Amino acid sequence: MSVVLGPNRYGKAETRLVRVVRDGGVHHIKDVTVGSALSGDMEAVHLTGDNAAVLPTDTQKNTVYAFARKHGVAEIEDFAILLARHYVESQPTVHHARVEIEEHFWDRVPVSEDVAGERGRHSFVRSGRETRTCAVHHDRDGTTTVVSGLKDLVVLNSTDSEFSGFVEDEYTTLPPTKDRVLATAVSARWRHLPGAAAPGTAAASGTAYGESYDEVRRHLLGAFAETYSLSLQQTLYAMGERVLNAREEVCEVRLAMPNKHHFLVDLTPFGLDNPNEVFHAADRPYGLIEGSVLRDDAPDARFAWE
């Protein structure tokens, strides 16, 4: 028997970056967490400890900060592309770079009109919105793959959802229901076609990622709200299908949706009825529904999801 080195990569995880843009007296916040992972000719460092091919992870961290100053941080996908291409093109031993970014939203603090001209321009409160995400892969052959996404998008339908007709065996205690609360925290990732352009932008400049993100999010929410749900799986498919039908730059959508169960509380011991009004929101255990929806002509890019 012989032992060989398998697939490997290394990088810097969770580099926290906050950039303040000063537009005169008005400030703007960009708050992101960046992770990088590099692979290539790395056999020697594993087998003999020879570090000649290794770009230190501390250098990768410093590159994030330097690029934020030199290039700014507009759309997180564009920033991730800059970093990934830099790592591959500047280091002969690096053949593949993966850069992942999460964006954390901030809202402006509303202030009274008499101080709005001053404090209202630089005071923020952490948003209760979802987290925006992206992952960019860049290969030495010049191929760039962009996956955008979001996580912790918490949604709820208080009706228009049922669950019945499922398999029942000797261990089944869940009663069928024709009217239930459907709630979940959506994690969604969507893969962009290489070189695709959003409407109104030049193809040469790539996708307008900000516009694309807002529109994909809108269609995900629209499908969740407008689908009469017979199962969370059906809702998942409807959400992915809506995005693909509406956004030509997207070729695949992957969704993970935990079922945030809301159980009707039995109030009969207290002489009370409960016409679908009082629920116990259980956090665990929970059902987890996962799936992908893609165009039948979507190019293969399995590594994009790694």
Side-chain angles (χ1 to χ4, degrees), residues 20-91:
V20 179
V21 177
R22 290 169 168 80
D23 181 12
V26 179
H27 294 181
H28 306 272
I29 295 290
K30 200 73 170 183
D31 183 351
V32 298
T33 301
V34 183
S36 56
L38 311 180
S39 58
D41 291 333
M42 302 296 166
E43 290 82 2
V45 65
H46 290 88
L47 302 181
T48 69
D50 181 354
N51 295 317
V54 175
L55 180 71
T57 65
D58 188 67
T59 302
Q60 296 173 44
K61 175 203 69 179
N62 292 340
T63 304
V64 171
Y65 295 131
F67 270 44
R69 179 67 185 94
K70 291 172 63 177
H71 304 289
V73 186
E75 305 301 340
I76 57 175
E77 292 88 349
D78 291 320
F79 192 61
I81 291 170
L82 279 173
L83 288 167
R85 289 177 176 171
H86 167 78
Y87 293 135
V88 172
E89 294 168 6
S90 67
Q91 303 300 321

Side-chain angles (χ1 to χ4, degrees), residues 10 50-51 66-67 80 94 107 109-110 140 143 148 178 208 225 230 238 252 273 299 305:
Y10 78 103
D50 181 354
N51 295 317
F67 270 44
V94 175
D107 297 325
V109 175
R140 182 155 294 281
T143 302
S148 298
K178 294 294 185 180
L230 300 176
E252 183 176 4
D273 65 354
W305 305 105

Side-chain angles (χ1 to χ4, degrees), residues 125-249:
V125 59
R126 184 66 173 266
S127 173
R129 284 185 55 180
E130 76 283 356
T131 299
R132 179 177 173 179
T133 68
C134 79
V136 169
H137 291 259
H138 183 70
D139 278 324
R140 182 155 294 281
D141 65 5
T143 302
T144 302
T145 303
V146 179
V147 175
S148 298
L150 55 81
K151 65 179 184 178
D152 299 326
L153 179 66
V154 181
V155 292
L156 182 151
N157 283 333
S158 56
T159 190
D160 283 352
S161 174
E162 57 182 83
F163 189 55
S164 61
F166 47 80
V167 173
E168 297 188 47
D169 65 11
E170 64 269 33
Y171 304 115
T172 301
T173 60
L174 182 72
T177 178
K178 294 294 185 180
D179 187 8
R180 67 170 180 171
V181 171
L182 182 67
T184 186
V186 179
S187 292
R189 296 180 294 165
W190 51 95
R191 177 160 58 99
H192 296 261
L193 282 167
T201 64
S205 65
T207 302
Y209 293 108
E211 174 194 341
S212 180
Y213 179 85
D214 291 340
E215 286 298 296
V216 170
R217 181 182 187 273
R218 182 173 70 85
H219 288 296
L220 289 171
L221 291 174
F224 179 82
E226 297 167 18
T227 299
Y228 186 98
S229 180
L230 300 176
S231 66
L232 191 51
Q233 288 91 334
Q234 176 205 9
T235 301
L236 178 151
Y237 183 82
M239 293 168 71
E241 182 183 38
R242 173 83 69 94
V243 171
L244 292 175
N245 285 334
R247 302 303 301 176
E248 63 183 15
E249 75 275 13

